[in-house]
Every structure is written in C-alpha cells, then in structure tokens.
Amino acid sequence: MNSIPQKKFIASVVLTEHIAIGVVQITFKVSEPFPRDPWSYVWVEIPDMKTHDPRGNRRAFSIVNAINSADTITVVARISDSGYKQHLFALKNGDNVIIHGPFGSSYIFDDHTQGLTVMIAGGIGIAAFLPYIRTLTQKKSSHKMVLVYTNKNPQSTPYLHELNDLKT
C-alpha cells in the first residue's frame, strides 16, 4: 500500500446537481492532481462561511467519483437545515472551497483481492462504495461484488439507475 500525503487543495465548484429527492451532488475542480485510493474521503471547508453553524465550516465527505478522475472530486450529501449545508448548496460555479485530504485508504482491497466482496449500504452511505464499484467497472475487473443497498424509497435513492444498470 502506498501512502498518499494529506494536504490542502483549493477547489472550485464546477457542477451542482440534484440527483434524487433530497440529495445533492457537487463536483469540484481541484487546483492540482489529487491522487487517491478508492474509499478515500475529504474534508470540505467553506472559507468565510456566512451562515452560522455551531459545528463549524467543514465536513467530511466520501469521494464518489472513480479514481481516474485526478482533477475533480465529487461528493454527495442529503439536504438538511444545517448552516453548513445551506451554504454548501448555495455555492455557485466558480466559488472556491478548501479540500483537505485525501484520508482513508483501500487497505482492505487491492488489485490482488480475490473472492467475493459483499457491501452493505443504506441511504447516502452508498457514497463510500461508489468509487470502488466505479473503478472496478471501468477496469472491467472480474472481481465479484454483491451490494445490499436500502433506502426509504426509489425517488430519494441516489445512483439507483446507475447501480441497476450494473446488475448481472
């Protein structure tokens, strides 16, 4: 396992999408290549946050895009009344944030992992598994995966269509 150093990156919003009822996906373009493993997460800091939030101006998010997207980071979150999320979802294309990371690693799985991988996710928790699923799919890996994924209803289930397309 290679160690990827954590640092701060300036990133700008390039796309904000409502991908399911109550779910927003935000893509940031980072200031320099952002090497990471599947399973990595970042802290997204909003400098000069104008909306008060007692928990502060940064939160942790799983990176949902595949690892071959070295110049972008995509995160997903449920809409809430928190000051942080209100400000995050109000960011416009070109607005800057600070990305801290990457954190975490794929020490459990690598290119030599064999057998069957079983993943269990609920709701927005799918975000932690998406980079792994997407990376293996892009590599056309023969690694076998089973995903058990539950949510309140299909309309509020992020990535449902993509995951259904992967069924075999």
Side-chain angles (χ1 to χ4, degrees):
M1 175 179 76
N2 294 333
S3 177
I4 299 173
Q6 291 95 32
K7 55 190 261 185
K8 292 182 185 181
F9 297 80
I10 301 297
S12 59
V13 175
V14 293
L15 183 63
T16 302
E17 304 173 272
H18 290 264
I19 61 168
I21 293 175
V23 181
V24 176
Q25 176 178 280
I26 302 176
T27 301
F28 302 97
K29 180 161 181 58
V30 288
S31 56
E32 57 187 272
F34 192 86
R36 65 182 185 277
D37 290 327
W39 309 99
S40 294
Y41 69 97
V42 294
W43 286 87
V44 177
E45 178 182 339
I46 302 173
D48 304 319
M49 196 166 85
K50 303 196 180 13
T51 309
H52 174 71
D53 189 307
R55 291 181 48 212
N57 68 339
R58 70 181 192 162
R59 299 288 188 284
F61 294 95
S62 293
I63 302 170
V64 298
N65 50 324
I67 61 171
N68 66 348
S69 308
D71 66 340
T72 61
I73 294 170
T74 302
V75 300
V76 63
R78 289 235 183 251
I79 295 172
S80 77
D81 292 333
S82 80
Y84 176 87
K85 291 221 183 138
Q86 294 300 310
H87 194 95
L88 178 69
F89 299 144
L91 293 172
K92 304 289 185 224
N93 286 359
D95 287 348
N96 287 336
V97 298
I98 299 169
I99 302 287
H100 300 258
F103 300 99
S105 68
S106 60
Y107 64 90
I108 298 172
F109 304 101
D110 60 25
D111 289 338
H112 306 292
T113 300
Q114 297 181 15
L116 176 67
T117 299
V118 177
M119 298 169 278
I120 302 171
I124 205 70
I126 189 63
F129 298 106
L130 278 174
Y132 183 69
I133 294 167
R134 288 174 170 168
T135 299
L136 289 180
T137 301
Q138 288 176 357
K139 288 182 174 182
K140 298 187 185 326
S141 173
S142 62
H143 187 88
K144 301 292 183 209
M145 298 178 280
V146 172
L147 173 65
V148 178
Y149 181 30
T150 184
N151 202 14
K152 287 188 268 186
N153 57 55
Q155 297 80 14
S156 65
T157 304
Y159 310 108
L160 183 60
H161 295 296
E162 176 183 353
L163 294 168
N164 279 334
D165 289 346
L166 295 174
K167 282 187 197 177
T168 56

